[in-house]
Amino acid sequence: MSLDEIKARIAQAETRAGRAPGSVQLIAVSKVQPDARVAAVLDQGHRCFGENRVQEAAGKWPGFRARYDGIDLHLIGPLQSNKARQAMELADAIHALDRPKLATALARLAQELGRCPDLFIQVNTGEEAQKAGILPADADGFIAECRGLDLPVRGLMCIPPVDEEPALHFALLAKIAARNGLNGLSMGMSGDFESAIALGATHVRVGSAIFGARVAAGTEGAAG
Ligand SMILES: *Cc1c(COP(=O)(O)O)cnc(C)c1O
């Protein structure tokens, strides 16, 4: 698969869903990929990327930012509170706001830094014990809490359980977003982004379908 093919499939899925062309943002998930592969995608003109580890992003993206203008970097993996400052300094968007303690930390840092990345609240739609995210039953309250802290909440994010029909989870996420007046929906990965677009995704996170299989297997953590 190539970047162009994925972009074409996204455009077709937008049309099928009766959505405006360009209404879905493609986040190219570059975690664990060698720099040469990432540079090749940058050279094709793509600028929106996703990383799931702060440490890896910090090692990789300042250098790319120095070489390429207009990079839009999204952190999509679980975020420890002690890495929140670094994450806020690095990223244009954070997709893993999932607990009150992190919300408080981000709000304090936003005050101090005078800026805050776009935030997506991660919802654990499958209610899986090992997965990050606020439980669906707690989502409305947590969204209100984040808004009360003046955090720029743009939308919701989910990672469906591997062994379940993803469309059910995308539909649930869309429902929670709609009743809370949120427009952003970060959902859909290499195997299911077309289904996510049909159900309203505004941001799809596609890694292996663009870059090929991740080389260093086993280093990507539970979020993968
Ligand atoms: C790795 C990752 C992706 C991309 O997965 P692919 O199946 O390679 O497209 C998307 N979202 C998150 C949170 C990830 O960690």
Side-chain angles (χ1 to χ4, degrees), residues 59-74:
K60 200 156 146 187
W61 285 95
F64 282 131
R65 282 199 201 269
R67 284 165 56 200
Y68 298 87
D69 284 332
I71 285 170
D72 184 22
L73 182 62
H74 294 239

Side-chain angles (χ1 to χ4, degrees), residues 29 31 52 76 157 159 189-190 205-209 214 220 223-224:
V29 179
K31 65 183 182 201
N52 75 334
I76 60 176
M157 178 270 213
I159 307 170
M189 314 194 343
S190 289
R205 311 178 308 266
V206 180
S208 42
R214 283 181 281 278
E220 56 184 282

Side-chain angles (χ1 to χ4, degrees), residues 161-207:
V162 284
D163 53 354
E164 287 182 28
E165 170 54 50
L168 299 174
H169 296 270
F170 299 153
L172 172 60
L173 196 72
K175 193 171 119 190
I176 298 171
R179 73 171 179 242
N180 285 284
L182 287 169
N183 301 320
L185 284 172
S186 167
M187 57 191 200
M189 314 194 343
S190 289
D192 54 22
F193 67 88
E194 283 145 321
S195 155
I197 291 170
L199 289 160
T202 57
H203 295 70
V204 294
R205 311 178 308 266
V206 180

